[in-house]
Amino acid sequence: MMDAYDPDNIFGKILRGEIPCHRVYEDDDVLAFMDVMPQSSGHTLVVPRTGSRNLLDAHPAVLATTIERVQDIAKAVKKAMNADGIRIAQFNEAVAGQTVFHLHFHIIPMYEGVTLKPHSGDMADNDVLADQAKQIAAAL
Ligand code: 5GP
């Protein structure tokens, strides 16, 4: 049995405006923002406003809307960051690599010849993240 959704998680706090983020896009259904420990330049997260622990307990309608936004935002990330490809990642439970227990999709730009940094590695520079968020928002 999976644990229940706990709204007192980092992304719940970001969604409620209790802690800051570098916002890329938002609407009634989702919020997209820069990952503070990016695996590559432009690593963006898409989070549905409706809380679920991960994909396994999410409402199918929430998943459907969220993946449409992931597609739009992934195109904007690719364009703005001039990436050669995009990896979409999504982890369910700690054993699978999940560290924040509010459903989210990773949009990870891939660049020819560039190896990804580790998951949840070094913090990026705030000014760089702010600038990338602006560039991606402008490409939407
Ligand atoms: P997960 O392992 O749960 O799929 O990914 C969580 C992601 O959230 C990681 O890539 C990590 O770098 C990112 N992250 C963790 N804490 C914060 C935070 O406070 N703000 C932002 N913007 N990203 C975070």
Side-chain angles (χ1 to χ4, degrees):
M1 239 327 246
M2 218 164 63
D3 289 342
Y5 174 70
D6 176 2
D8 194 25
N9 67 78
I10 289 177
F11 295 165
K13 289 177 184 169
I14 288 177
L15 283 164
R16 293 190 296 273
E18 293 165 14
I19 62 170
C21 69
H22 296 286
R23 218 159 275 243
V24 168
Y25 173 81
E26 67 180 316
D27 61 23
D28 289 347
D29 300 308
V30 304
L31 173 65
F33 52 92
M34 304 312 295
D35 192 306
V36 278
M37 291 169 272
Q39 288 193 257
S40 70
S41 190
H43 184 164
T44 302
L45 299 170
V46 182
V47 176
R49 291 195 187 276
T50 302
S52 70
R53 186 172 162 84
N54 53 43
L55 177 138
L56 302 175
D57 60 333
H59 194 287
V62 171
L63 282 180
T65 305
T66 304
I67 204 69
E68 281 190 28
R69 299 298 183 279
V70 168
Q71 184 188 36
D72 295 340
I73 298 161
K75 286 182 193 169
V77 169
K78 186 170 184 293
K79 189 173 164 198
M81 301 308 301
N82 207 14
D84 300 303
I86 293 288
R87 182 173 292 178
I88 303 296
Q90 192 280 316
F91 306 119
N92 302 283
E93 298 303 324
V95 71
Q98 186 176 9
T99 60
V100 178
F101 295 91
H102 180 121
L103 174 63
H104 55 278
F105 288 84
H106 296 259
I107 297 173
I108 306 174
M110 305 296 294
Y111 305 94
E112 284 297 341
V114 179
T115 309
L116 286 187
K117 292 188 197 137
H119 182 55
S120 299
D122 295 334
M123 297 270 283
D125 183 272
N126 262 314
D127 292 342
V128 170
L129 292 181
D131 189 54
Q132 289 170 345
K134 254 190 234 160
Q135 286 180 49
I136 298 165
L140 269 164

